[in-house]
Amino acid sequence: EIGKITIAIDGPAGSGKSTVAKRVADALGILYLDTGAMYRAVTLKALRAGLALDDEAALAKLAAATALEFKQTADGSYHLFMDGEDVSAQIRTAPVTKAVSAVSAVAGVREVLVKQQQRIGRQGGVVMDGRDIGTVVLPHADLKIFLTASLRERAYRRWLELQAKGDTVTIDEVEEDLKRRDAFDSGRSVAPLRPAPDSVTLDTTALSIEEVVERILALASSSFCTMQEG
Ligand code: CDP
Ligand code: CDP
């Protein structure tokens, strides 16, 4: 049944993964898992503990000792609890965004989080977004999407969000930050950001959120038909 479908959505920052993944999950009545939020939470904890971002052993140990849980609130939004504390807002702050790529390049950290993600993916009925979902976490996903958009467009989207929060950062600064993070995520040796060979790439530069969601839902229903045949 389509309620058991697994959908992997990967792509660079600001391509629309989490916005679109949430809507696709709601439309299909299935779970949404934001794997980036998990890496951000471990990063927040590491910063609070004052760990050096190149101390791989300490970072891996910290990840293994962290309890992560997503809860959907009455208004439909997802909140992440780290060791029982709601860290949803804190994980989006600039220091975390700056440090997260270094923490998520640590193999031992990935091992811990990927295992948790796979445990959730095994039950089916999930849309997961991140960088390595189609390549590493869910290599057998029923549908794999690689979302992209031009760097300028992605920077503009992120800048609009920051403006709404009262941040006075410039669009050029946001663009520099995205560029640096994309290069780091694509260039690392463990689980680099890249499209899975069997993924469908959607360039969302000139598409609305609704158009992207519709395309993914159409792909989901056709992959569901082949699931039934196969
Ligand atoms: O939302 P945004 O694109 O800013 O980033 P995110 O999805 O919250 O991910 C934050 C960072 O976590 C990324 O820049 C990656 O370094 C890392 N990440 C990862 O390595 N693997 C994943 N599956 C998800 C995120
Ligand atoms: O998760 P990721 O970093 O890939 O992107 P996001 O956090 O969902 O942010 C994407 C931003 O672009 C949001 O503010 C969306 O409203 C907006 N947007 C989009 O997601 N998709 C479009 N086709 C157009 C705009």
Side-chain angles (χ1 to χ4, degrees):
E1 105 230 40
I2 195 143
K4 286 288 170 201
I5 196 170
T6 56
I7 304 178
I9 304 185
D10 293 302
S15 56
K17 298 179 300 297
S18 61
T19 304
V20 162
K22 254 177 239 167
R23 297 212 190 187
V24 168
D26 285 345
L28 296 175
I30 61 181
L31 194 74
Y32 163 58
L33 189 77
D34 178 355
T35 66
M38 298 171 75
Y39 288 96
R40 284 173 177 272
V42 171
T43 303
L44 174 66
K45 191 165 169 177
L47 291 176
R48 284 179 178 175
L51 293 188
L53 296 181
D54 59 357
D55 189 344
E56 302 201 358
L59 289 169
K61 201 170 151 202
L62 182 102
T66 305
L68 296 174
E69 197 188 351
F70 286 94
K71 285 184 197 159
Q72 198 169 13
T73 53
D75 68 353
S77 64
Y78 286 83
H79 286 245
L80 177 57
F81 290 78
M82 179 184 81
D83 302 325
E85 175 193 353
D86 186 348
V87 292
S88 313
Q90 289 236 36
I91 60 171
R92 306 286 162 200
T93 58
V96 173
T97 300
K98 224 177 158 60
V100 64
S101 282
V103 173
S104 58
V106 175
V109 170
R110 303 201 71 83
E111 212 172 290
V112 169
L113 296 187
V114 165
K115 227 173 256 165
Q116 297 177 11
Q117 293 155 10
Q118 287 178 328
R119 200 174 311 129
I120 293 163
R122 212 169 294 138
Q123 304 157 12
V126 65
V127 182
M128 227 180 264
D129 83 322
R131 299 293 183 290
D132 61 338
I133 310 304
T135 51
V136 175
V137 180
L138 303 175
H140 303 298
D142 301 306
L143 176 62
K144 298 180 185 179
I145 304 289
F146 195 82
L147 281 190
T148 60
S150 71
L151 176 63
R152 195 65 181 172
E153 170 68 18
R154 292 188 287 111
Y156 176 66
R157 292 175 184 175
R158 204 31 68 83
W159 176 78
L160 280 181
E161 291 176 346
L162 291 166
Q163 278 241 310
K165 285 196 224 166
D167 198 316
T168 55
V169 69
T170 68
I171 187 162
D172 288 333
E173 285 168 334
V174 176
E175 188 174 306
E176 265 319 297
D177 182 62
L178 285 191
K179 209 163 129 186
R180 179 189 58 83
R181 197 143 57 90
D182 288 347
F184 204 96
D185 291 343
S186 305
R188 70 187 177 207
S189 55
V190 255
L193 168 67
R194 60 183 164 77
D198 52 347
S199 63
V200 178
T201 295
L202 289 180
D203 184 337
T204 74
T205 307
L207 297 179
S208 69
I209 296 170
E210 289 68 30
E211 286 170 321
V212 179
V213 170
E214 260 169 45
R215 286 191 199 193
I216 295 177
L217 288 175
L219 289 164
S221 55
S222 60
S223 78
F224 171 65
C225 293
T226 42
M227 269 164 80
Q228 282 192 317
E229 282 162 22

